[in-house]
Amino acid sequence: MTPITPAGYSPKQAAEILGVAPCTIYDWIWRGILPATKKGPKLWMIRKQDLDTFIAPIARKETSC
């Protein structure tokens, strides 16, 4: 998945990476669970490092026995 910028993803791209619906990503953004920056009236950007940080605990749970 190619980021919308070298440093960030759209909510739709983040949803595909995480295997959830885009509305879930927007819900997490609005609730402050997933940091994002509003870049226009309908454009949000999730920084790659923020998505990586969000994914890290999930990845650790999946790999532990």
Short mmCIF file of all heavy atoms in Angstrom, two decimals:
data_model
loop_
_atom_site.label_atom_id
_atom_site.label_comp_id
_atom_site.label_asym_id
_atom_site.label_seq_id
_atom_site.Cartn_x
_atom_site.Cartn_y
_atom_site.Cartn_z
N MET A 1 0.85 -1.18 0.00
CA MET A 1 0.00 0.00 0.00
C MET A 1 0.88 1.23 0.00
O MET A 1 1.71 1.40 0.88
CB MET A 1 -0.88 -0.04 1.24
CG MET A 1 -1.72 1.17 1.49
SD MET A 1 -3.23 1.36 0.55
CE MET A 1 -3.83 -0.26 0.37
N THR A 2 0.70 2.09 -0.97
CA THR A 2 1.48 3.31 -1.08
C THR A 2 0.82 4.43 -0.28
O THR A 2 -0.37 4.69 -0.46
CB THR A 2 1.60 3.76 -2.55
OG1 THR A 2 2.14 2.69 -3.30
CG2 THR A 2 2.45 4.98 -2.69
N PRO A 3 1.56 5.08 0.62
CA PRO A 3 0.99 6.18 1.39
C PRO A 3 0.58 7.34 0.48
O PRO A 3 1.11 7.49 -0.62
CB PRO A 3 2.13 6.62 2.31
CG PRO A 3 3.11 5.51 2.31
CD PRO A 3 2.93 4.80 1.00
N ILE A 4 -0.36 8.19 0.93
CA ILE A 4 -0.74 9.36 0.15
C ILE A 4 0.42 10.35 0.08
O ILE A 4 0.52 11.11 -0.85
CB ILE A 4 -2.03 10.05 0.67
CG1 ILE A 4 -1.92 10.43 2.14
CG2 ILE A 4 -3.22 9.20 0.42
CD1 ILE A 4 -3.10 11.23 2.66
N THR A 5 1.26 10.32 1.07
CA THR A 5 2.52 11.06 1.07
C THR A 5 3.56 10.07 1.59
O THR A 5 3.19 9.03 2.13
CB THR A 5 2.48 12.30 2.01
OG1 THR A 5 2.46 11.84 3.35
CG2 THR A 5 1.30 13.20 1.71
N PRO A 6 4.84 10.37 1.45
CA PRO A 6 5.82 9.42 2.00
C PRO A 6 5.64 9.19 3.50
O PRO A 6 6.12 8.19 4.02
CB PRO A 6 7.15 10.10 1.71
CG PRO A 6 6.90 11.02 0.59
CD PRO A 6 5.46 11.45 0.73
N ALA A 7 4.95 10.10 4.16
CA ALA A 7 4.85 10.00 5.62
C ALA A 7 3.44 9.71 6.12
O ALA A 7 3.22 9.68 7.31
CB ALA A 7 5.34 11.31 6.24
N GLY A 8 2.46 9.49 5.21
CA GLY A 8 1.11 9.32 5.73
C GLY A 8 0.15 8.57 4.84
O GLY A 8 0.38 8.38 3.65
N TYR A 9 -0.96 8.13 5.47
CA TYR A 9 -1.99 7.35 4.81
C TYR A 9 -3.34 8.04 4.93
O TYR A 9 -3.60 8.74 5.91
CB TYR A 9 -2.11 5.97 5.46
CG TYR A 9 -0.89 5.12 5.34
CD1 TYR A 9 0.04 5.06 6.37
CD2 TYR A 9 -0.65 4.38 4.20
CE1 TYR A 9 1.17 4.26 6.27
CE2 TYR A 9 0.48 3.59 4.08
CZ TYR A 9 1.39 3.53 5.11
OH TYR A 9 2.51 2.76 4.99
N SER A 10 -4.22 7.77 3.98
CA SER A 10 -5.60 8.21 4.09
C SER A 10 -6.33 7.25 5.03
O SER A 10 -5.84 6.13 5.26
CB SER A 10 -6.27 8.19 2.71
OG SER A 10 -6.47 6.85 2.29
N PRO A 11 -7.48 7.63 5.55
CA PRO A 11 -8.24 6.69 6.39
C PRO A 11 -8.59 5.40 5.64
O PRO A 11 -8.57 4.32 6.23
CB PRO A 11 -9.48 7.49 6.77
CG PRO A 11 -8.99 8.90 6.81
CD PRO A 11 -8.05 8.98 5.63
N LYS A 12 -8.89 5.50 4.36
CA LYS A 12 -9.22 4.31 3.58
C LYS A 12 -8.01 3.37 3.50
O LYS A 12 -8.13 2.15 3.67
CB LYS A 12 -9.67 4.69 2.18
CG LYS A 12 -10.08 3.51 1.35
CD LYS A 12 -10.57 3.92 -0.03
CE LYS A 12 -10.90 2.68 -0.85
NZ LYS A 12 -11.29 3.02 -2.21
N GLN A 13 -6.83 3.93 3.28
CA GLN A 13 -5.61 3.11 3.23
C GLN A 13 -5.33 2.48 4.58
O GLN A 13 -4.97 1.31 4.66
CB GLN A 13 -4.42 3.96 2.78
CG GLN A 13 -4.50 4.38 1.32
CD GLN A 13 -3.41 5.36 0.96
OE1 GLN A 13 -3.10 6.27 1.73
NE2 GLN A 13 -2.85 5.20 -0.23
N ALA A 14 -5.49 3.26 5.64
CA ALA A 14 -5.26 2.73 6.99
C ALA A 14 -6.24 1.59 7.29
O ALA A 14 -5.87 0.59 7.89
CB ALA A 14 -5.39 3.84 8.04
N ALA A 15 -7.49 1.74 6.85
CA ALA A 15 -8.49 0.70 7.05
C ALA A 15 -8.09 -0.59 6.35
O ALA A 15 -8.23 -1.68 6.90
CB ALA A 15 -9.85 1.18 6.55
N GLU A 16 -7.56 -0.47 5.13
CA GLU A 16 -7.12 -1.65 4.39
C GLU A 16 -5.95 -2.33 5.10
O GLU A 16 -5.91 -3.55 5.19
CB GLU A 16 -6.72 -1.26 2.97
CG GLU A 16 -7.91 -0.88 2.11
CD GLU A 16 -7.51 -0.38 0.72
OE1 GLU A 16 -6.33 -0.53 0.33
OE2 GLU A 16 -8.39 0.14 0.03
N ILE A 17 -5.03 -1.54 5.61
CA ILE A 17 -3.87 -2.09 6.33
C ILE A 17 -4.31 -2.83 7.59
O ILE A 17 -3.82 -3.91 7.89
CB ILE A 17 -2.87 -0.97 6.68
CG1 ILE A 17 -2.21 -0.44 5.39
CG2 ILE A 17 -1.81 -1.44 7.67
CD1 ILE A 17 -1.46 0.85 5.57
N LEU A 18 -5.26 -2.24 8.32
CA LEU A 18 -5.70 -2.82 9.59
C LEU A 18 -6.81 -3.87 9.43
O LEU A 18 -7.14 -4.56 10.38
CB LEU A 18 -6.18 -1.72 10.53
CG LEU A 18 -5.10 -0.73 10.98
CD1 LEU A 18 -5.71 0.41 11.77
CD2 LEU A 18 -4.03 -1.44 11.80
N GLY A 19 -7.39 -3.95 8.24
CA GLY A 19 -8.45 -4.93 8.01
C GLY A 19 -9.76 -4.56 8.68
O GLY A 19 -10.50 -5.42 9.15
N VAL A 20 -10.04 -3.25 8.72
CA VAL A 20 -11.30 -2.75 9.29
C VAL A 20 -11.99 -1.85 8.27
O VAL A 20 -11.40 -1.50 7.25
CB VAL A 20 -11.06 -1.98 10.62
CG1 VAL A 20 -10.44 -2.87 11.67
CG2 VAL A 20 -10.21 -0.74 10.39
N ALA A 21 -13.21 -1.47 8.55
CA ALA A 21 -13.95 -0.57 7.66
C ALA A 21 -13.45 0.86 7.84
O ALA A 21 -13.03 1.25 8.95
CB ALA A 21 -15.44 -0.63 7.99
N PRO A 22 -13.49 1.67 6.78
CA PRO A 22 -13.07 3.07 6.91
C PRO A 22 -13.84 3.82 8.01
O PRO A 22 -13.26 4.67 8.69
CB PRO A 22 -13.35 3.67 5.53
CG PRO A 22 -13.20 2.51 4.60
CD PRO A 22 -13.77 1.32 5.38
N CYS A 23 -15.12 3.49 8.21
CA CYS A 23 -15.88 4.18 9.26
C CYS A 23 -15.29 3.90 10.64
O CYS A 23 -15.38 4.74 11.54
CB CYS A 23 -17.36 3.82 9.20
SG CYS A 23 -17.74 2.09 9.47
N THR A 24 -14.66 2.75 10.82
CA THR A 24 -13.99 2.44 12.08
C THR A 24 -12.79 3.36 12.29
O THR A 24 -12.58 3.87 13.39
CB THR A 24 -13.54 0.96 12.10
OG1 THR A 24 -14.68 0.13 11.93
CG2 THR A 24 -12.83 0.62 13.41
N ILE A 25 -12.04 3.59 11.22
CA ILE A 25 -10.89 4.50 11.30
C ILE A 25 -11.37 5.90 11.68
O ILE A 25 -10.80 6.54 12.57
CB ILE A 25 -10.11 4.53 9.97
CG1 ILE A 25 -9.54 3.15 9.63
CG2 ILE A 25 -9.02 5.60 10.01
CD1 ILE A 25 -8.48 2.64 10.59
N TYR A 26 -12.43 6.39 11.00
CA TYR A 26 -12.96 7.72 11.33
C TYR A 26 -13.44 7.77 12.78
O TYR A 26 -13.22 8.77 13.48
CB TYR A 26 -14.09 8.12 10.38
CG TYR A 26 -13.60 8.52 9.02
CD1 TYR A 26 -13.80 7.70 7.92
CD2 TYR A 26 -12.91 9.72 8.83
CE1 TYR A 26 -13.35 8.07 6.65
CE2 TYR A 26 -12.45 10.10 7.58
CZ TYR A 26 -12.67 9.27 6.50
OH TYR A 26 -12.21 9.65 5.27
N ASP A 27 -14.06 6.71 13.25
CA ASP A 27 -14.51 6.66 14.65
C ASP A 27 -13.32 6.77 15.58
O ASP A 27 -13.36 7.53 16.56
CB ASP A 27 -15.28 5.36 14.90
CG ASP A 27 -15.82 5.28 16.32
OD1 ASP A 27 -16.51 6.23 16.75
OD2 ASP A 27 -15.56 4.27 17.00
N TRP A 28 -12.25 6.02 15.31
CA TRP A 28 -11.04 6.08 16.15
C TRP A 28 -10.42 7.48 16.11
O TRP A 28 -9.92 7.96 17.12
CB TRP A 28 -10.03 5.04 15.70
CG TRP A 28 -10.44 3.62 15.98
CD1 TRP A 28 -11.40 3.19 16.87
CD2 TRP A 28 -9.91 2.45 15.39
NE1 TRP A 28 -11.49 1.83 16.85
CE2 TRP A 28 -10.59 1.33 15.95
CE3 TRP A 28 -8.94 2.22 14.42
CZ2 TRP A 28 -10.30 0.02 15.58
CZ3 TRP A 28 -8.66 0.90 14.06
CH2 TRP A 28 -9.34 -0.18 14.64
N ILE A 29 -10.44 8.13 14.94
CA ILE A 29 -9.91 9.50 14.83
C ILE A 29 -10.74 10.44 15.70
O ILE A 29 -10.21 11.20 16.50
CB ILE A 29 -9.87 9.96 13.37
CG1 ILE A 29 -8.83 9.16 12.57
CG2 ILE A 29 -9.60 11.47 13.28
CD1 ILE A 29 -8.90 9.37 11.06
N TRP A 30 -12.07 10.40 15.54
CA TRP A 30 -12.95 11.31 16.28
C TRP A 30 -12.87 11.08 17.78
O TRP A 30 -13.03 12.01 18.57
CB TRP A 30 -14.39 11.17 15.80
CG TRP A 30 -14.59 11.68 14.40
CD1 TRP A 30 -14.00 12.76 13.82
CD2 TRP A 30 -15.40 11.09 13.40
NE1 TRP A 30 -14.40 12.89 12.51
CE2 TRP A 30 -15.27 11.87 12.23
CE3 TRP A 30 -16.22 9.98 13.36
CZ2 TRP A 30 -15.94 11.58 11.05
CZ3 TRP A 30 -16.89 9.70 12.19
CH2 TRP A 30 -16.75 10.49 11.06
N ARG A 31 -12.64 9.84 18.20
CA ARG A 31 -12.54 9.52 19.63
C ARG A 31 -11.15 9.76 20.18
O ARG A 31 -10.92 9.62 21.38
CB ARG A 31 -12.97 8.08 19.86
CG ARG A 31 -14.47 7.89 19.56
CD ARG A 31 -14.90 6.45 19.53
NE ARG A 31 -14.71 5.80 20.81
CZ ARG A 31 -14.64 4.48 20.96
NH1 ARG A 31 -14.75 3.68 19.95
NH2 ARG A 31 -14.47 3.97 22.16
N GLY A 32 -10.18 10.12 19.33
CA GLY A 32 -8.82 10.40 19.78
C GLY A 32 -7.97 9.17 19.97
O GLY A 32 -6.88 9.25 20.55
N ILE A 33 -8.42 8.02 19.48
CA ILE A 33 -7.68 6.78 19.63
C ILE A 33 -6.55 6.69 18.61
O ILE A 33 -5.48 6.19 18.91
CB ILE A 33 -8.64 5.57 19.49
CG1 ILE A 33 -9.66 5.59 20.63
CG2 ILE A 33 -7.87 4.25 19.45
CD1 ILE A 33 -10.81 4.62 20.47
N LEU A 34 -6.81 7.19 17.40
CA LEU A 34 -5.83 7.17 16.32
C LEU A 34 -5.55 8.61 15.89
O LEU A 34 -6.45 9.29 15.39
CB LEU A 34 -6.35 6.35 15.14
CG LEU A 34 -5.44 6.22 13.92
CD1 LEU A 34 -4.13 5.54 14.29
CD2 LEU A 34 -6.14 5.42 12.83
N PRO A 35 -4.35 9.11 16.11
CA PRO A 35 -4.04 10.49 15.73
C PRO A 35 -4.11 10.68 14.21
O PRO A 35 -3.68 9.81 13.45
CB PRO A 35 -2.61 10.70 16.22
CG PRO A 35 -2.34 9.61 17.19
CD PRO A 35 -3.22 8.46 16.78
N ALA A 36 -4.65 11.81 13.79
CA ALA A 36 -4.73 12.16 12.37
C ALA A 36 -4.77 13.68 12.24
O ALA A 36 -5.11 14.39 13.19
CB ALA A 36 -5.96 11.55 11.73
N THR A 37 -4.41 14.15 11.06
CA THR A 37 -4.40 15.58 10.78
C THR A 37 -5.37 15.86 9.64
O THR A 37 -5.34 15.17 8.62
CB THR A 37 -2.98 16.03 10.35
OG1 THR A 37 -2.07 15.67 11.38
CG2 THR A 37 -2.93 17.52 10.11
N LYS A 38 -6.20 16.86 9.81
CA LYS A 38 -7.13 17.24 8.75
C LYS A 38 -6.39 18.12 7.76
O LYS A 38 -5.84 19.15 8.11
CB LYS A 38 -8.33 17.97 9.34
CG LYS A 38 -9.46 18.11 8.36
CD LYS A 38 -10.75 18.46 9.04
CE LYS A 38 -11.84 18.41 8.00
NZ LYS A 38 -13.15 18.53 8.56
N LYS A 39 -6.39 17.68 6.49
CA LYS A 39 -5.65 18.39 5.44
C LYS A 39 -6.56 19.15 4.49
O LYS A 39 -6.10 19.78 3.57
CB LYS A 39 -4.81 17.40 4.63
CG LYS A 39 -3.71 16.74 5.44
CD LYS A 39 -2.68 17.77 5.82
CE LYS A 39 -1.49 17.14 6.50
NZ LYS A 39 -0.48 18.12 6.84
N GLY A 40 -7.85 19.06 4.67
CA GLY A 40 -8.82 19.75 3.82
C GLY A 40 -10.21 19.43 4.32
O GLY A 40 -10.36 18.75 5.33
N PRO A 41 -11.25 19.91 3.61
CA PRO A 41 -12.61 19.69 4.11
C PRO A 41 -12.98 18.21 4.22
O PRO A 41 -13.77 17.83 5.07
CB PRO A 41 -13.50 20.40 3.11
CG PRO A 41 -12.64 20.79 1.97
CD PRO A 41 -11.21 20.68 2.40
N LYS A 42 -12.41 17.38 3.36
CA LYS A 42 -12.73 15.95 3.39
C LYS A 42 -11.49 15.06 3.43
O LYS A 42 -11.59 13.86 3.24
CB LYS A 42 -13.56 15.58 2.17
CG LYS A 42 -14.92 16.23 2.14
CD LYS A 42 -15.72 15.73 0.96
CE LYS A 42 -17.09 16.37 0.96
NZ LYS A 42 -17.91 15.85 -0.15
N LEU A 43 -10.33 15.64 3.66
CA LEU A 43 -9.09 14.86 3.60
C LEU A 43 -8.41 14.82 4.96
O LEU A 43 -8.08 15.85 5.54
CB LEU A 43 -8.13 15.45 2.57
CG LEU A 43 -6.78 14.75 2.43
CD1 LEU A 43 -6.98 13.32 1.94
CD2 LEU A 43 -5.88 15.50 1.47
N TRP A 44 -8.22 13.60 5.46
CA TRP A 44 -7.47 13.36 6.69
C TRP A 44 -6.20 12.61 6.34
O TRP A 44 -6.19 11.82 5.40
CB TRP A 44 -8.29 12.50 7.65
CG TRP A 44 -9.42 13.23 8.30
CD1 TRP A 44 -10.67 13.38 7.80
CD2 TRP A 44 -9.40 13.88 9.55
NE1 TRP A 44 -11.44 14.10 8.67
CE2 TRP A 44 -10.68 14.41 9.76
CE3 TRP A 44 -8.43 14.07 10.53
CZ2 TRP A 44 -11.02 15.13 10.91
CZ3 TRP A 44 -8.77 14.78 11.67
CH2 TRP A 44 -10.05 15.31 11.85
N MET A 45 -5.15 12.83 7.09
CA MET A 45 -3.91 12.10 6.89
C MET A 45 -3.47 11.50 8.23
O MET A 45 -3.47 12.17 9.25
CB MET A 45 -2.79 12.99 6.37
CG MET A 45 -1.54 12.17 6.03
SD MET A 45 -0.07 13.15 5.74
CE MET A 45 0.35 13.64 7.40
N ILE A 46 -3.14 10.22 8.18
CA ILE A 46 -2.62 9.52 9.35
C ILE A 46 -1.14 9.31 9.11
O ILE A 46 -0.76 8.66 8.13
CB ILE A 46 -3.34 8.18 9.54
CG1 ILE A 46 -4.84 8.43 9.72
CG2 ILE A 46 -2.76 7.42 10.73
CD1 ILE A 46 -5.71 7.23 9.45
N ARG A 47 -0.31 9.88 9.96
CA ARG A 47 1.14 9.75 9.78
C ARG A 47 1.55 8.29 9.91
O ARG A 47 1.00 7.55 10.72
CB ARG A 47 1.89 10.58 10.82
CG ARG A 47 1.71 12.07 10.65
CD ARG A 47 2.53 12.89 11.60
NE ARG A 47 2.58 12.30 12.94
CZ ARG A 47 3.48 12.62 13.86
NH1 ARG A 47 4.38 13.53 13.62
NH2 ARG A 47 3.45 12.06 15.05
N LYS A 48 2.51 7.91 9.09
CA LYS A 48 2.99 6.53 9.10
C LYS A 48 3.46 6.13 10.49
O LYS A 48 3.14 5.05 10.97
CB LYS A 48 4.11 6.35 8.08
CG LYS A 48 4.61 4.92 7.99
CD LYS A 48 5.72 4.77 6.99
CE LYS A 48 6.22 3.35 6.87
NZ LYS A 48 6.38 2.59 8.08
N GLN A 49 4.19 7.00 11.16
CA GLN A 49 4.69 6.65 12.49
C GLN A 49 3.55 6.49 13.49
O GLN A 49 3.63 5.65 14.40
CB GLN A 49 5.72 7.66 12.98
CG GLN A 49 5.16 9.05 13.25
CD GLN A 49 6.26 10.05 13.54
OE1 GLN A 49 7.33 10.00 12.96
NE2 GLN A 49 5.98 10.97 14.44
N ASP A 50 2.46 7.26 13.35
CA ASP A 50 1.32 7.10 14.25
C ASP A 50 0.61 5.77 13.99
O ASP A 50 0.20 5.09 14.93
CB ASP A 50 0.32 8.25 14.09
CG ASP A 50 0.85 9.56 14.65
OD1 ASP A 50 1.70 9.52 15.56
OD2 ASP A 50 0.40 10.62 14.18
N LEU A 51 0.48 5.38 12.71
CA LEU A 51 -0.13 4.10 12.40
C LEU A 51 0.75 2.95 12.89
O LEU A 51 0.26 1.97 13.46
CB LEU A 51 -0.40 3.97 10.90
CG LEU A 51 -1.26 2.78 10.49
CD1 LEU A 51 -2.65 2.87 11.12
CD2 LEU A 51 -1.38 2.70 8.98
N ASP A 52 2.05 3.08 12.71
CA ASP A 52 2.99 2.05 13.20
C ASP A 52 2.88 1.90 14.72
O ASP A 52 2.87 0.78 15.24
CB ASP A 52 4.42 2.38 12.81
CG ASP A 52 4.68 2.25 11.32
OD1 ASP A 52 3.87 1.62 10.61
OD2 ASP A 52 5.70 2.79 10.86
N THR A 53 2.78 3.01 15.43
CA THR A 53 2.65 2.99 16.89
C THR A 53 1.33 2.34 17.30
O THR A 53 1.26 1.58 18.26
CB THR A 53 2.74 4.42 17.46
OG1 THR A 53 4.00 4.97 17.10
CG2 THR A 53 2.57 4.44 18.97
N PHE A 54 0.27 2.64 16.53
CA PHE A 54 -1.05 2.08 16.81
C PHE A 54 -1.05 0.56 16.59
O PHE A 54 -1.64 -0.18 17.35
CB PHE A 54 -2.08 2.75 15.90
CG PHE A 54 -3.49 2.33 16.16
CD1 PHE A 54 -4.22 2.88 17.20
CD2 PHE A 54 -4.11 1.38 15.35
CE1 PHE A 54 -5.53 2.49 17.44
CE2 PHE A 54 -5.42 1.00 15.59
CZ PHE A 54 -6.13 1.55 16.63
N ILE A 55 -0.35 0.11 15.56
CA ILE A 55 -0.31 -1.31 15.20
C ILE A 55 0.59 -2.12 16.14
O ILE A 55 0.33 -3.29 16.39
CB ILE A 55 0.18 -1.49 13.74
CG1 ILE A 55 -0.86 -0.93 12.78
CG2 ILE A 55 0.45 -2.95 13.42
CD1 ILE A 55 -0.38 -0.87 11.34
N ALA A 56 1.64 -1.53 16.68
CA ALA A 56 2.64 -2.25 17.46
C ALA A 56 2.05 -3.15 18.56
O ALA A 56 2.40 -4.33 18.63
CB ALA A 56 3.67 -1.29 18.04
N PRO A 57 1.16 -2.68 19.42
CA PRO A 57 0.61 -3.57 20.47
C PRO A 57 -0.20 -4.72 19.87
O PRO A 57 -0.21 -5.82 20.40
CB PRO A 57 -0.28 -2.66 21.31
CG PRO A 57 0.11 -1.28 20.98
CD PRO A 57 0.70 -1.31 19.60
N ILE A 58 -0.88 -4.47 18.77
CA ILE A 58 -1.67 -5.51 18.12
C ILE A 58 -0.73 -6.59 17.56
O ILE A 58 -0.99 -7.78 17.73
CB ILE A 58 -2.53 -4.91 16.97
CG1 ILE A 58 -3.53 -3.90 17.54
CG2 ILE A 58 -3.24 -6.00 16.19
CD1 ILE A 58 -4.18 -3.03 16.51
N ALA A 59 0.36 -6.17 16.93
CA ALA A 59 1.30 -7.12 16.36
C ALA A 59 1.95 -7.97 17.45
O ALA A 59 2.16 -9.16 17.27
CB ALA A 59 2.36 -6.38 15.55
N ARG A 60 2.24 -7.36 18.59
CA ARG A 60 2.86 -8.12 19.69
C ARG A 60 1.91 -9.20 20.22
O ARG A 60 2.32 -10.30 20.52
CB ARG A 60 3.26 -7.19 20.82
CG ARG A 60 4.59 -6.50 20.58
CD ARG A 60 5.13 -5.89 21.86
NE ARG A 60 4.24 -4.87 22.42
CZ ARG A 60 4.31 -3.59 22.13
NH1 ARG A 60 5.20 -3.13 21.29
NH2 ARG A 60 3.48 -2.74 22.69
N LYS A 61 0.62 -8.88 20.31
CA LYS A 61 -0.37 -9.86 20.79
C LYS A 61 -0.50 -11.03 19.83
O LYS A 61 -0.65 -12.16 20.24
CB LYS A 61 -1.73 -9.19 20.98
CG LYS A 61 -1.80 -8.29 22.16
CD LYS A 61 -3.19 -7.68 22.28
CE LYS A 61 -3.24 -6.65 23.39
NZ LYS A 61 -4.53 -5.99 23.45
N GLU A 62 -0.45 -10.75 18.53
CA GLU A 62 -0.61 -11.81 17.53
C GLU A 62 0.59 -12.76 17.49
O GLU A 62 0.44 -13.92 17.15
CB GLU A 62 -0.82 -11.21 16.15
CG GLU A 62 -2.16 -10.52 16.01
CD GLU A 62 -2.35 -9.87 14.65
OE1 GLU A 62 -1.42 -9.90 13.83
OE2 GLU A 62 -3.44 -9.34 14.41
N THR A 63 1.77 -12.27 17.85
CA THR A 63 2.96 -13.11 17.76
C THR A 63 3.30 -13.80 19.07
O THR A 63 4.12 -14.70 19.09
CB THR A 63 4.19 -12.29 17.31
OG1 THR A 63 4.41 -11.22 18.22
CG2 THR A 63 3.98 -11.74 15.90
N SER A 64 2.67 -13.43 20.17
CA SER A 64 2.98 -14.08 21.44
C SER A 64 2.22 -15.40 21.55
O SER A 64 1.16 -15.59 20.98
CB SER A 64 2.62 -13.16 22.62
OG SER A 64 1.24 -12.93 22.64
N CYS A 65 2.79 -16.33 22.30
CA CYS A 65 2.18 -17.67 22.45
C CYS A 65 1.32 -17.76 23.69
O CYS A 65 1.46 -17.16 24.64
CB CYS A 65 3.27 -18.72 22.53
SG CYS A 65 4.19 -18.83 21.00
#
